[in-house]
PDB file of all heavy atoms in Angstrom:
ATOM      1  N   CYS A  18      -6.621   4.565   1.803  1.00  0.00           N
ATOM      2  CA  CYS A  18      -6.200   3.624   0.764  1.00  0.00           C
ATOM      3  C   CYS A  18      -5.566   4.337  -0.432  1.00  0.00           C
ATOM      4  O   CYS A  18      -6.183   5.220  -1.033  1.00  0.00           O
ATOM      5  CB  CYS A  18      -7.405   2.809   0.302  1.00  0.00           C
ATOM      6  SG  CYS A  18      -7.020   1.678  -1.042  1.00  0.00           S
ATOM      7  N   LEU A  20      -4.838   3.050  -3.346  1.00  0.00           N
ATOM      8  CA  LEU A  20      -5.462   2.681  -4.616  1.00  0.00           C
ATOM      9  C   LEU A  20      -6.799   3.402  -4.795  1.00  0.00           C
ATOM     10  O   LEU A  20      -7.092   3.896  -5.893  1.00  0.00           O
ATOM     11  CB  LEU A  20      -5.646   1.161  -4.709  1.00  0.00           C
ATOM     12  CG  LEU A  20      -6.226   0.675  -6.040  1.00  0.00           C
ATOM     13  CD1 LEU A  20      -5.318   1.043  -7.218  1.00  0.00           C
ATOM     14  CD2 LEU A  20      -6.453  -0.830  -6.015  1.00  0.00           C
ATOM     15  N   CYS A  21      -7.602   3.492  -3.739  1.00  0.00           N
ATOM     16  CA  CYS A  21      -8.859   4.254  -3.831  1.00  0.00           C
ATOM     17  C   CYS A  21      -8.570   5.691  -4.229  1.00  0.00           C
ATOM     18  O   CYS A  21      -9.257   6.270  -5.068  1.00  0.00           O
ATOM     19  CB  CYS A  21      -9.605   4.236  -2.503  1.00  0.00           C
ATOM     20  SG  CYS A  21     -10.412   2.670  -2.141  1.00  0.00           S
ATOM     21  N   SER A  29     -10.390   6.076   1.958  1.00  0.00           N
ATOM     22  CA  SER A  29     -10.979   4.924   2.626  1.00  0.00           C
ATOM     23  C   SER A  29     -10.073   4.542   3.778  1.00  0.00           C
ATOM     24  O   SER A  29      -8.855   4.617   3.638  1.00  0.00           O
ATOM     25  CB  SER A  29     -11.060   3.733   1.672  1.00  0.00           C
ATOM     26  OG  SER A  29     -11.648   4.118   0.457  1.00  0.00           O
ATOM     27  N   LEU A  50      -3.743   0.372   2.132  1.00  0.00           N
ATOM     28  CA  LEU A  50      -4.772  -0.225   1.281  1.00  0.00           C
ATOM     29  C   LEU A  50      -6.009  -0.500   2.141  1.00  0.00           C
ATOM     30  O   LEU A  50      -5.877  -0.956   3.280  1.00  0.00           O
ATOM     31  CB  LEU A  50      -4.279  -1.551   0.672  1.00  0.00           C
ATOM     32  CG  LEU A  50      -3.197  -1.464  -0.406  1.00  0.00           C
ATOM     33  CD1 LEU A  50      -2.723  -2.874  -0.780  1.00  0.00           C
ATOM     34  CD2 LEU A  50      -3.703  -0.748  -1.662  1.00  0.00           C
ATOM     35  N   CYS A  51      -7.195  -0.258   1.600  1.00  0.00           N
ATOM     36  CA  CYS A  51      -8.429  -0.549   2.332  1.00  0.00           C
ATOM     37  C   CYS A  51      -8.608  -2.074   2.378  1.00  0.00           C
ATOM     38  O   CYS A  51      -7.984  -2.796   1.602  1.00  0.00           O
ATOM     39  CB  CYS A  51      -9.611   0.150   1.674  1.00  0.00           C
ATOM     40  SG  CYS A  51      -9.994  -0.423   0.014  1.00  0.00           S
ATOM     41  N   HIS A  54      -9.174  -3.658  -1.064  1.00  0.00           N
ATOM     42  CA  HIS A  54      -8.003  -3.648  -1.947  1.00  0.00           C
ATOM     43  C   HIS A  54      -6.783  -4.334  -1.339  1.00  0.00           C
ATOM     44  O   HIS A  54      -5.773  -4.518  -2.009  1.00  0.00           O
ATOM     45  CB  HIS A  54      -7.651  -2.202  -2.337  1.00  0.00           C
ATOM     46  CG  HIS A  54      -8.626  -1.613  -3.296  1.00  0.00           C
ATOM     47  ND1 HIS A  54      -9.042  -0.306  -3.243  1.00  0.00           N
ATOM     48  CD2 HIS A  54      -9.280  -2.185  -4.349  1.00  0.00           C
ATOM     49  CE1 HIS A  54      -9.919  -0.087  -4.223  1.00  0.00           C
ATOM     50  NE2 HIS A  54     -10.081  -1.205  -4.896  1.00  0.00           N
TER      51      HIS A  54
HETATM   52 ZN1   ZN B   1      -9.070   0.874  -1.621  1.00  0.00          ZN
END
Side-chain angles (χ1 to χ4, degrees):
C18 177
L20 183 61
C21 285
S29 310
L50 289 174
C51 65
H54 288 142

